[in-house]
Amino acid sequence: MRPRLRRATRGLSVALVLGAAAALAGADILHMKDGREVEGVVVEETDALVRLRTRLGVLEFKRSDIERIERKKSKLQEFEERWERAESGDDFHALGLWAEERRMRKEAKRCMAEAVRVDPDHAAAHTWLGHVLHEGEWMTPEERDRRVREAERARRSAEGLVEYRGRWVTPEERSKLEAGLVQHEGRWMTPEEAQRARGLELVEGRWIPRAQALALRSGA
Protein backbone atom coordinates (compact mmCIF):
# COMPACT_ATOMS: atom_id res chain seq x y z
CA MET A 1 0.00 0.00 0.00
CA ARG A 2 1.34 3.45 -0.91
CA PRO A 3 2.15 5.79 2.07
CA ARG A 4 -0.59 8.30 1.13
CA LEU A 5 -3.26 5.58 0.93
CA ARG A 6 -2.06 4.06 4.20
CA ARG A 7 -2.32 7.44 5.94
CA ALA A 8 -5.81 7.99 4.50
CA THR A 9 -6.93 4.56 5.74
CA ARG A 10 -5.48 5.22 9.16
CA GLY A 11 -7.23 8.58 9.27
CA LEU A 12 -10.55 6.95 8.39
CA SER A 13 -10.08 4.37 11.15
CA VAL A 14 -9.37 7.09 13.69
CA ALA A 15 -12.47 9.00 12.56
CA LEU A 16 -14.63 5.91 12.95
CA VAL A 17 -13.26 5.27 16.44
CA LEU A 18 -13.83 8.88 17.44
CA GLY A 19 -17.35 8.77 16.00
CA ALA A 20 -18.17 5.61 17.94
CA ALA A 21 -16.75 7.09 21.12
CA ALA A 22 -18.76 10.25 20.63
CA ALA A 23 -21.95 8.26 20.17
CA LEU A 24 -21.42 6.44 23.47
CA ALA A 25 -20.16 9.43 25.42
CA GLY A 26 -22.32 11.93 27.22
CA ALA A 27 -22.42 15.67 26.69
CA ASP A 28 -19.40 17.51 28.09
CA ILE A 29 -19.26 21.20 28.96
CA LEU A 30 -16.10 23.27 28.71
CA HIS A 31 -16.14 26.08 31.24
CA MET A 32 -13.82 28.68 29.77
CA LYS A 33 -11.84 31.16 31.81
CA ASP A 34 -13.55 34.03 29.99
CA GLY A 35 -16.96 32.84 31.27
CA ARG A 36 -18.14 31.03 28.14
CA GLU A 37 -19.60 27.53 28.25
CA VAL A 38 -19.23 25.24 25.24
CA GLU A 39 -21.20 21.98 25.11
CA GLY A 40 -20.29 18.95 23.06
CA VAL A 41 -18.41 15.68 23.32
CA VAL A 42 -14.71 15.53 24.10
CA VAL A 43 -13.10 13.38 21.40
CA GLU A 44 -9.46 14.14 22.19
CA GLU A 45 -7.71 15.56 25.22
CA THR A 46 -4.01 16.34 25.74
CA ASP A 47 -2.00 18.58 28.02
CA ALA A 48 -2.01 21.26 25.33
CA LEU A 49 -5.50 21.16 23.81
CA VAL A 50 -9.00 19.71 23.93
CA ARG A 51 -10.94 18.76 20.81
CA LEU A 52 -14.72 18.97 21.25
CA ARG A 53 -17.33 17.64 18.83
CA THR A 54 -20.20 20.15 18.68
CA ARG A 55 -23.14 20.82 16.39
CA LEU A 56 -20.85 23.10 14.41
CA GLY A 57 -18.23 20.38 13.98
CA VAL A 58 -15.06 19.51 15.88
CA LEU A 59 -13.55 22.56 17.61
CA GLU A 60 -10.14 22.86 19.28
CA PHE A 61 -9.50 24.76 22.50
CA LYS A 62 -6.24 25.52 24.25
CA ARG A 63 -5.94 23.78 27.55
CA SER A 64 -4.75 27.01 29.13
CA ASP A 65 -8.06 28.73 28.18
CA ILE A 66 -10.19 26.11 29.95
CA GLU A 67 -11.03 26.51 33.61
CA ARG A 68 -12.63 23.07 34.01
CA ILE A 69 -14.42 20.32 32.07
CA GLU A 70 -17.83 19.19 33.29
CA ARG A 71 -18.44 15.63 32.20
CA LYS A 72 -21.92 14.18 31.99
CA LYS A 73 -23.00 10.57 31.79
CA SER A 74 -23.83 9.04 28.44
CA LYS A 75 -27.29 7.67 27.74
CA LEU A 76 -25.88 4.16 27.89
CA GLN A 77 -24.20 4.78 31.24
CA GLU A 78 -27.40 6.21 32.68
CA PHE A 79 -29.37 3.29 31.27
CA GLU A 80 -27.11 0.70 32.90
CA GLU A 81 -27.34 2.48 36.26
CA ARG A 82 -31.14 2.57 36.05
CA TRP A 83 -31.15 -1.10 35.02
CA GLU A 84 -29.20 -2.06 38.15
CA ARG A 85 -31.76 -0.24 40.32
CA ALA A 86 -34.84 -1.69 38.62
CA GLU A 87 -36.60 -4.56 40.40
CA SER A 88 -40.27 -4.89 39.44
CA GLY A 89 -42.02 -5.29 36.13
CA ASP A 90 -43.20 -1.69 36.38
CA ASP A 91 -39.60 -0.54 36.91
CA PHE A 92 -38.35 -2.27 33.78
CA HIS A 93 -41.37 -1.13 31.76
CA ALA A 94 -40.76 2.49 32.77
CA LEU A 95 -37.09 2.15 31.91
CA GLY A 96 -38.03 0.69 28.54
CA LEU A 97 -40.19 3.72 27.77
CA TRP A 98 -37.33 5.98 28.88
CA ALA A 99 -34.97 4.18 26.50
CA GLU A 100 -37.48 4.31 23.65
CA GLU A 101 -37.82 8.09 24.01
CA ARG A 102 -34.04 8.30 23.53
CA ARG A 103 -34.11 6.06 20.46
CA MET A 104 -32.40 3.20 22.30
CA ARG A 105 -34.60 0.56 20.71
CA LYS A 106 -32.40 -2.40 21.58
CA GLU A 107 -32.28 -1.42 25.24
CA ALA A 108 -36.03 -0.73 25.27
CA LYS A 109 -36.78 -4.22 23.99
CA ARG A 110 -34.42 -5.68 26.56
CA CYS A 111 -36.34 -3.89 29.31
CA MET A 112 -39.76 -5.07 28.11
CA ALA A 113 -38.54 -8.65 27.90
CA GLU A 114 -37.23 -8.39 31.45
CA ALA A 115 -40.51 -6.83 32.61
CA VAL A 116 -42.53 -9.83 31.43
CA ARG A 117 -39.95 -12.21 32.85
CA VAL A 118 -40.26 -10.60 36.28
CA ASP A 119 -44.03 -10.13 35.94
CA PRO A 120 -45.53 -12.60 33.41
CA ASP A 121 -48.88 -10.75 33.51
CA HIS A 122 -47.52 -7.25 32.81
CA ALA A 123 -50.00 -6.22 30.11
CA ALA A 124 -48.28 -2.99 29.06
CA ALA A 125 -44.93 -4.68 28.46
CA HIS A 126 -46.57 -7.55 26.60
CA THR A 127 -48.46 -5.09 24.41
CA TRP A 128 -45.25 -3.18 23.64
CA LEU A 129 -43.65 -6.45 22.55
CA GLY A 130 -46.59 -7.12 20.24
CA HIS A 131 -48.03 -9.98 22.29
CA VAL A 132 -51.75 -10.76 22.46
CA LEU A 133 -53.85 -12.27 25.23
CA HIS A 134 -55.42 -15.59 24.25
CA GLU A 135 -57.38 -17.72 26.70
CA GLY A 136 -55.71 -16.03 29.66
CA GLU A 137 -52.17 -16.41 28.31
CA TRP A 138 -49.86 -13.89 26.62
CA MET A 139 -48.23 -15.01 23.39
CA THR A 140 -47.22 -13.87 19.93
CA PRO A 141 -49.93 -13.50 17.25
CA GLU A 142 -48.33 -16.40 15.38
CA GLU A 143 -48.56 -18.66 18.41
CA ARG A 144 -52.19 -17.65 18.96
CA ASP A 145 -53.07 -18.44 15.34
CA ARG A 146 -51.35 -21.81 15.60
CA ARG A 147 -53.30 -22.70 18.73
CA VAL A 148 -56.57 -21.60 17.15
CA ARG A 149 -55.90 -23.84 14.17
CA GLU A 150 -55.02 -26.77 16.42
CA ALA A 151 -58.17 -26.27 18.50
CA GLU A 152 -60.29 -26.10 15.33
CA ARG A 153 -58.65 -29.25 13.98
CA ALA A 154 -59.30 -31.10 17.26
CA ARG A 155 -62.95 -29.97 17.34
CA ARG A 156 -63.59 -30.97 13.73
CA SER A 157 -61.88 -34.31 14.22
CA ALA A 158 -64.08 -34.97 17.23
CA GLU A 159 -67.07 -34.35 14.95
CA GLY A 160 -65.79 -37.04 12.59
CA LEU A 161 -64.71 -34.60 9.87
CA VAL A 162 -61.51 -34.58 7.83
CA GLU A 163 -59.73 -31.75 6.04
CA TYR A 164 -59.70 -31.62 2.27
CA ARG A 165 -58.20 -28.64 0.43
CA GLY A 166 -58.99 -26.19 3.20
CA ARG A 167 -62.51 -27.56 3.81
CA TRP A 168 -63.86 -29.83 6.54
CA VAL A 169 -65.88 -32.69 5.07
CA THR A 170 -66.97 -36.19 6.00
CA PRO A 171 -64.73 -39.11 5.01
CA GLU A 172 -67.36 -40.13 2.43
CA GLU A 173 -67.39 -36.65 0.93
CA ARG A 174 -63.62 -36.65 0.71
CA SER A 175 -63.60 -39.94 -1.19
CA LYS A 176 -66.15 -38.50 -3.66
CA LEU A 177 -64.13 -35.32 -4.09
CA GLU A 178 -60.92 -37.25 -4.59
CA ALA A 179 -62.71 -39.19 -7.35
CA GLY A 180 -63.35 -35.89 -9.13
CA LEU A 181 -67.10 -35.77 -8.41
CA VAL A 182 -69.09 -32.67 -7.50
CA GLN A 183 -72.30 -32.26 -5.58
CA HIS A 184 -75.39 -30.78 -7.22
CA GLU A 185 -78.75 -30.60 -5.47
CA GLY A 186 -77.69 -33.28 -3.01
CA ARG A 187 -76.42 -35.72 -5.65
CA TRP A 188 -72.86 -36.65 -6.55
CA MET A 189 -72.02 -36.59 -10.26
CA THR A 190 -69.27 -35.75 -12.70
CA PRO A 191 -68.62 -32.08 -13.50
CA GLU A 192 -70.10 -32.59 -17.00
CA GLU A 193 -73.26 -34.12 -15.55
CA ALA A 194 -73.55 -31.22 -13.12
CA GLN A 195 -73.29 -28.69 -15.93
CA ARG A 196 -76.04 -30.43 -17.90
CA ALA A 197 -78.16 -30.65 -14.76
CA ARG A 198 -77.89 -26.86 -14.58
CA GLY A 199 -79.32 -26.60 -18.12
CA LEU A 200 -76.05 -26.01 -19.96
CA GLU A 201 -74.59 -27.62 -23.07
CA LEU A 202 -70.98 -27.77 -24.25
CA VAL A 203 -70.55 -26.00 -27.57
CA GLU A 204 -67.11 -25.41 -29.05
CA GLY A 205 -65.45 -25.70 -25.65
CA ARG A 206 -67.93 -23.39 -23.85
CA TRP A 207 -70.83 -24.22 -21.57
CA ILE A 208 -73.86 -22.18 -22.68
CA PRO A 209 -77.63 -22.35 -21.96
CA ARG A 210 -79.30 -25.31 -23.66
CA ALA A 211 -81.79 -23.13 -25.61
CA GLN A 212 -78.91 -21.11 -27.03
CA ALA A 213 -77.06 -24.29 -27.94
CA LEU A 214 -80.12 -25.68 -29.75
CA ALA A 215 -80.56 -22.44 -31.65
CA LEU A 216 -76.94 -22.50 -32.78
CA ARG A 217 -77.27 -26.09 -33.93
CA SER A 218 -80.53 -25.37 -35.80
CA GLY A 219 -78.92 -22.41 -37.55
CA ALA A 220 -75.98 -24.54 -38.56
Side-chain angles (χ1 to χ4, degrees):
M1 182 182 295
R2 293 194 298 272
R4 181 177 298 177
L5 182 57
R6 188 182 300 114
R7 287 196 295 271
T9 304
R10 186 183 301 115
L12 178 60
S13 300
V14 171
L16 290 174
V17 171
L18 291 177
L24 293 176
D28 301 315
I29 300 176
L30 302 187
H31 294 268
M32 312 301 291
K33 291 181 179 179
D34 61 7
R36 290 180 299 142
E37 293 182 356
V38 185
E39 185 172 346
V41 176
V42 174
V43 294
E44 185 180 355
E45 186 176 356
T46 68
D47 292 336
L49 59 83
V50 173
R51 298 181 73 238
L52 189 74
R53 185 183 301 279
T54 70
R55 294 180 179 178
L56 302 177
V58 177
L59 306 179
E60 290 188 1
F61 299 88
K62 293 181 180 179
R63 190 72 165 184
S64 57
D65 293 336
I66 302 173
E67 181 177 343
R68 64 185 176 89
I69 301 177
E70 181 182 350
R71 305 182 190 276
K72 294 184 178 181
K73 297 176 183 177
S74 69
K75 293 188 296 183
L76 189 58
Q77 289 172 331
E78 187 172 354
F79 171 83
E80 293 298 340
E81 290 180 2
R82 287 171 176 255
W83 174 276
E84 292 299 324
R85 295 196 300 269
E87 296 180 355
S88 66
D90 286 341
D91 292 341
F92 286 107
H93 175 257
L95 179 56
L97 296 179
W98 178 90
E100 184 178 34
E101 290 175 356
R102 287 153 182 81
R103 298 183 180 180
M104 302 170 69
R105 184 71 181 181
K106 180 180 177 181
E107 287 75 15
K109 186 175 182 179
R110 174 185 169 192
C111 289
M112 298 305 179
E114 186 66 13
V116 299
R117 189 193 70 80
V118 174
D119 181 3
D121 295 323
H122 201 288
H126 275 296
T127 301
W128 191 96
L129 290 167
H131 297 167
V132 294
L133 188 63
H134 176 65
E135 296 182 347
E137 184 179 351
W138 288 97
M139 61 191 70
T140 64
E142 295 77 15
E143 175 66 14
R144 176 204 56 197
D145 295 342
R146 185 183 66 81
R147 293 195 184 187
V148 169
R149 289 193 299 270
E150 289 179 350
E152 176 70 5
R153 186 174 292 108
R155 184 176 69 83
R156 294 292 190 173
S157 297
E159 294 173 353
L161 301 178
V162 294
E163 193 172 4
Y164 178 79
R165 296 184 179 180
R167 296 167 51 197
W168 291 97
V169 298
T170 65
E172 180 184 0
E173 288 173 328
R174 184 172 69 176
S175 65
K176 298 288 187 181
L177 292 169
E178 289 175 343
L181 302 180
V182 296
Q183 197 171 36
H184 176 68
E185 295 182 352
R187 296 169 52 206
W188 289 98
M189 57 188 70
T190 66
E192 292 78 8
E193 292 171 338
Q195 291 287 57
R196 291 189 171 91
R198 296 186 183 98
L200 302 176
E201 288 292 333
L202 184 63
V203 177
E204 297 181 352
R206 295 187 305 119
W207 289 96
I208 61 176
R210 183 170 291 116
Q212 183 180 350
L214 293 174
L216 289 173
R217 289 168 182 167
S218 297

